[in-house]
Amino acid sequence: MSGEKDLQKLLKSMKPELNTGDYVFCKVEKLENIAISTIEMFFKEKEAITLILKKEIADALQLDYSVVMAWITLTVHSSLEAVGLTAAFSKALSENNISCNVVAGYYHDHIFVNKKDSKKAIKILNSFLN
């Protein structure tokens, strides 16, 4: 199954879910000494490896981070070829002065917002369901 492509269907059924915990973005040169099971997500860039970790894991590993974030999952199975979903929710969040960092997985889109903005972000995302 390749996921939903229709933007209106996606917006009406995205059902944002706030994951428990505090999350941070960190960078490392190598993954050695970091258990893969403790990493929520990672992406290899030419400059470094970006890790998304629970804050307590980053603290235990003594990794630097700049902001504590909340993780929101859009539970609708969106297609990797869907057009406009990221633009629609990022525009709504930006109009409310909320920065978002988006990671698209095979099944779902994941949005990271500043922890202090999490409740407001969920309210904005839920407004698309009406």
Side-chain angles (χ1 to χ4, degrees):
M1 186 171 155
S2 61
E4 182 61 58
K5 290 183 184 179
D6 181 271
L7 179 58
Q8 291 310 311
K9 287 181 183 176
L10 285 167
L11 291 172
K12 295 272 186 213
S13 61
M14 61 184 182
K15 297 179 188 154
E17 182 177 282
L18 183 61
N19 295 284
T20 59
D22 296 337
Y23 298 87
V24 295
F25 284 62
C26 305
K27 67 178 180 66
V28 295
E29 298 301 317
K30 298 177 184 172
L31 290 176
E32 60 190 39
N33 301 323
I34 301 174
I36 194 81
S37 62
T38 64
I39 301 171
E40 298 296 333
M41 300 178 200
F42 70 95
F43 193 89
K44 185 177 177 187
E45 299 177 279
K46 70 179 180 181
E47 297 88 354
I49 299 169
T50 299
L51 302 177
I52 303 173
L53 306 166
K54 283 198 168 190
K55 178 185 175 297
E56 59 265 23
I57 301 294
D59 290 341
L61 295 170
Q62 299 181 330
L63 297 174
D64 292 330
Y65 52 86
S66 60
V67 62
V68 177
M69 307 192 95
W71 173 10
I72 300 168
T73 298
L74 302 183
T75 60
V76 65
H77 179 186
S78 56
S79 169
L80 292 170
E81 297 178 287
V83 176
L85 178 62
T86 303
F89 68 70
S90 65
K91 181 177 186 285
L93 292 171
S94 70
E95 287 172 348
N96 288 274
N97 204 34
I98 297 175
S99 171
C100 67
N101 292 279
V102 182
V103 179
Y106 184 85
Y107 291 101
H108 307 288
D109 290 286
H110 305 274
I111 308 166
F112 292 86
V113 299
N114 191 303
K115 186 71 174 181
K116 69 177 177 58
D117 295 324
S118 62
K119 288 185 173 97
K120 187 175 180 182
I122 286 287
K123 184 177 179 181
I124 293 163
L125 294 170
N126 276 324
S127 72
F128 285 102
L129 304 178
N130 302 325

